[in-house]
Amino acid sequence: MKGQTITKVTLRREDLRYPLPVSLKERLEGRRILELKRRAKYLLIVLDSQEVLMIHLGMSGRIKVLKTEEPLDKHDHVIFNLANSIEIRYHDPRRFGAIDLISQENIENHAALKKLGPEPFSNSYNAQFLLNRAACKTVPIKSFLLNQSVVAGLGNIYVCEILFACRIDPTSPAEALIVKQWEEIVVSTRDVLSRAIQAGGSTLKDHHQPNGEIGYFQHAFKVYGRLNKPCVVCGTLIQRLTQAGRATFYCPYCQDHVR
DNA sequence: CCTTGAACCTGCGGGC
DNA sequence: TGCCCGCAGGTTCAAG
């Protein structure tokens, strides 16, 4: 996509999670793509019009990169044709995703980006930062790490896997963790994310890599989705609970030790 | 301010 | 075969 000109945009519906931006088609057609960036789970496509196309994939969203003709699927909602004949399609059955188009100047003031915490691979994501942020917070550590204003980009699968790697009880109040545990969380976060990226991500159903292939990290899950299966470390059956509306998978033996 | 639960929407698998 | 229920990679509101 980088360096290509967007020759044609087709909107097959007028909204996803939110209404599509005003005059989206007219503002994109003829524009050149200068750069592709990311912040948290938001894809940022920088255009030569001083504007940035922001895409969030929600739960079921997917970007298709098509080099040949493909029949239209009912959930192919927005189609971008590029000058090199490649077709990019935004596909999203549940439509929890979003597309926005904003001026490059205001990008850091965008409501969704403004409140985000540090990137997990940045230096500002460190044990002292987390200790400070967790002070006086009774929220369970599982929910704390899922909060995008604490650290940007961690999702449900990876938080479960990170807490297992650190042997931390997912129900522990965030304020109860000690520095050593925060240090372990920082290390495990980067380790889990690195390995997941290396494996092409986790395909439960919808996620695919840009080349169309599925991801493979689901085969490396140690707790996520493994309800009633033996813990790979101790053999205890993996449990499931619900925290803030999200499933948490954990080993009740490995992650319940006071150490 | 803090935390939880519901809402948004479609599809799939299991039980009956 | 078909219907109903629960569940799913996320985020944002409203309510308490």
Side-chain angles (χ1 to χ4, degrees):
Chain A
M1 292 175 73
K2 188 169 176 177
Q4 287 299 309
T5 296
I6 301 171
T7 52
K8 184 182 174 192
V9 175
T10 307
L11 310 178
R12 301 188 63 234
R13 48 179 306 132
E14 72 286 358
D15 58 53
L16 296 169
R17 176 178 184 153
Y18 306 110
L20 292 174
V22 178
S23 312
L24 180 64
K25 174 182 170 72
E26 293 73 19
R27 288 159 72 189
L28 291 180
E29 287 182 350
R31 298 278 61 80
R32 202 162 74 90
I33 296 168
L34 299 181
E35 206 179 347
L36 296 165
K37 304 198 294 187
R38 175 196 63 77
R39 172 78 170 109
K41 298 171 191 171
Y42 296 87
L43 311 180
L44 304 175
I45 301 168
V46 183
L47 305 171
D48 65 355
S49 53
Q50 312 279 36
E51 289 195 301
V52 180
L53 182 65
M54 274 184 54
I55 299 180
H56 194 293
L57 299 174
M59 296 272 254
S60 57
R62 174 171 156 193
I63 302 283
K64 296 182 178 177
V65 180
L66 305 177
K67 295 175 179 158
T68 54
E69 294 278 319
E70 286 266 332
L72 271 177
D73 180 277
K74 69 192 271 202
H75 299 302
D76 290 339
H77 302 309
V78 183
I79 300 169
F80 308 90
N81 292 99
L82 305 181
N84 61 358
S85 297
I86 284 180
E87 188 169 299
I88 307 293
R89 291 187 194 168
Y90 179 86
H91 170 96
D92 187 1
R94 296 178 73 181
R95 304 200 304 279
F96 285 177
I99 295 181
D100 204 356
L101 184 60
I102 54 172
S103 78
Q104 198 166 6
E105 202 175 27
N106 295 333
I107 187 137
E108 284 306 321
N109 291 322
H110 188 280
L113 301 187
K114 200 162 55 173
K115 56 193 172 191
L116 291 171
E119 289 287 328
F121 288 98
S122 71
N123 289 332
S124 41
Y125 178 66
N126 59 55
Q128 195 57 54
F129 165 80
L130 288 168
L131 185 72
N132 292 343
R133 285 296 305 264
C136 305
K137 296 283 198 299
T138 60
V139 68
I141 178 62
K142 162 70 181 342
S143 306
F144 182 78
L145 289 177
L146 263 186
N147 182 344
Q148 302 294 297
S149 75
V150 172
V151 51
L154 299 188
N156 200 38
I157 290 174
Y158 300 124
V159 170
C160 291
E161 295 296 322
I162 289 162
L163 291 177
F164 175 79
C166 301
R167 300 165 59 89
I168 292 173
D169 180 344
T171 65
S172 300
E175 64 183 0
L177 272 66
I178 61 177
V179 177
K180 185 170 172 61
Q181 290 177 308
W182 290 118
E183 285 168 356
E184 289 175 14
I185 285 175
V186 170
V187 171
S188 294
T189 297
R190 293 175 180 152
D191 178 60
V192 168
L193 291 184
S194 302
R195 290 188 290 111
I197 291 164
Q198 193 71 30
S202 307
T203 300
L204 299 188
K205 175 170 165 49
D206 297 294
H207 167 71
H208 283 61
Q209 301 183 61
N211 65 9
E213 200 177 346
I214 63 168
Y216 295 97
F217 193 67
Q218 65 278 13
H219 302 301
F221 291 170
K222 293 194 167 79
V223 284
Y224 186 85
R226 298 193 66 247
L227 177 63
N228 291 330
K229 291 187 173 151
C231 171
V232 294
V233 171
C234 75
T236 302
L237 300 189
I238 298 302
Q239 299 291 295
R240 188 202 123 115
L241 56 84
T242 300
Q243 294 179 291
R246 312 297 306 279
T248 300
F249 296 90
Y250 69 106
C251 172
Y253 181 80
C254 292
Q255 294 174 258
D256 193 29
H257 275 292
V258 180
R259 280 171 295 134

